[in-house]
Amino acid sequence: MKPNTEKRKQTKRFNFSVEGETEKWYLEWLRDVINKEPARVFNVSFNIKVEKNPVKMVKFSSPMVGEIFFHFFDFESQYPAHVKQRNETFKLLKEAKNRKKIQYEAAYSNFSFELWILLHKTQLNQSFSDRKQYLPLINKYFGTAFADLREFKIEKNFKSVLNSLNFSDVQTAMNNYGKIVEQCELNLIEKKTCGYSFYEENPSSSVGETIQIILKACKLSS
């Protein structure tokens, strides 16, 4: 039997609560992409739950010292009901963080997670009034012909889009995300609530901060 000459890599564990299946599928894809990347120093293990309430995520958990939790959620729109929902999510994040004395980061998308997916293919600085406006760009940059976002989010369709990407595209997304952050810092007023910072206007996001933490932990980013 040929000996295994590669030293077994240690594993970094991260925890995620996500609002929908698409975020879960993306994170599973990202985990696999990272763990196949030759330059990584560490592997990653993701504990992912589709759970809109961060408090419920940690209620029965026993996190190890230093483990990080992330909550993926969308701002949806500027309608009062969605703004109320957004603010309630930040309150729940703070409660969950304080209950377990853990680091629980907000990975928000303004408007939606489609923004982060698109950043793998293009720089996106235009502001939208409706999340449906992401669809033509998805079809353009991924060579698809989805009739609506619901079709895009069907498991086989969404995973087909993911499988057209690779680690280089993740790096592209990080670069494009950095440009959005620069524009926000230059042109917008940062808001704060419950200890979390965000921008009311789109495009804005903190998903890239989450991905950066993970990539740094694997020594795939400086």
Side-chain angles (χ1 to χ4, degrees), residues 15-193:
N15 305 277
F16 304 87
S17 50
V18 300
E19 289 194 325
E21 294 288 347
T22 53
E23 292 90 340
K24 178 177 180 288
W25 297 330
Y26 176 82
L27 287 168
E28 290 171 342
W29 171 85
L30 180 66
R31 175 201 61 205
D32 294 343
V33 167
I34 288 174
N35 288 341
K36 292 176 183 176
E37 182 60 26
R40 76 194 187 283
V41 175
F42 300 99
N43 288 327
V44 291
S45 171
F46 289 174
N47 171 35
I48 312 166
K49 291 185 179 179
V50 178
E51 175 55 73
K52 293 186 176 183
N53 187 335
V55 174
K56 289 183 179 179
M57 174 70 179
V58 302
K59 188 174 183 181
F60 299 107
S61 66
S62 300
M64 297 178 65
V65 175
E67 276 193 357
I68 306 176
F69 285 70
F70 304 95
H71 184 62
F72 279 66
F73 66 107
D74 294 344
F75 278 11
E76 300 285 354
S77 77
Q78 289 293 338
Y79 289 118
H82 288 154
V83 172
K84 181 180 179 181
Q85 180 182 348
R86 177 200 72 197
N87 292 340
E88 179 64 20
T89 299
F90 281 125
K91 289 179 183 178
L92 290 170
L93 272 166
K94 182 180 180 180
E95 180 181 346
K97 181 171 64 174
N98 291 340
R99 178 176 292 200
K100 293 288 184 174
K101 307 300 181 186
I102 56 173
Q103 183 179 349
Y104 212 143
E105 300 295 339
Y108 77 84
S109 297
N110 186 1
F111 282 133
S112 69
F113 193 62
E114 283 74 33
L115 168 62
W116 175 251
I117 297 299
L118 278 166
L119 292 180
H120 290 70
K121 289 293 184 182
T122 184
Q123 182 181 352
L124 190 62
N125 287 323
Q126 61 195 108
S127 181
F128 290 150
S129 58
D130 192 302
R131 60 195 299 152
K132 294 178 182 177
Q133 292 172 285
Y134 289 118
L135 182 64
L137 294 174
I138 290 169
N139 285 332
K140 175 182 177 181
Y141 288 104
F142 288 97
T144 52
F146 300 125
D148 52 38
L149 289 176
R150 287 177 299 179
E151 185 179 2
F152 167 61
K153 293 181 178 183
I154 293 173
E155 183 174 2
K156 66 176 182 178
N157 294 337
F158 189 80
K159 288 186 175 180
S160 176
V161 166
L162 291 179
N163 289 334
S164 72
L165 300 172
N166 55 41
F167 184 71
S168 177
D169 294 307
V170 176
Q171 294 172 310
T172 296
M174 290 302 301
N175 289 335
N176 288 331
Y177 169 78
K179 294 171 185 175
I180 286 181
V181 171
E182 289 176 6
Q183 291 300 311
C184 288
E185 290 175 347
L186 284 172
N187 302 311
L188 303 178
I189 298 175
E190 188 178 55
K191 303 292 183 67
K192 291 188 177 182
T193 185

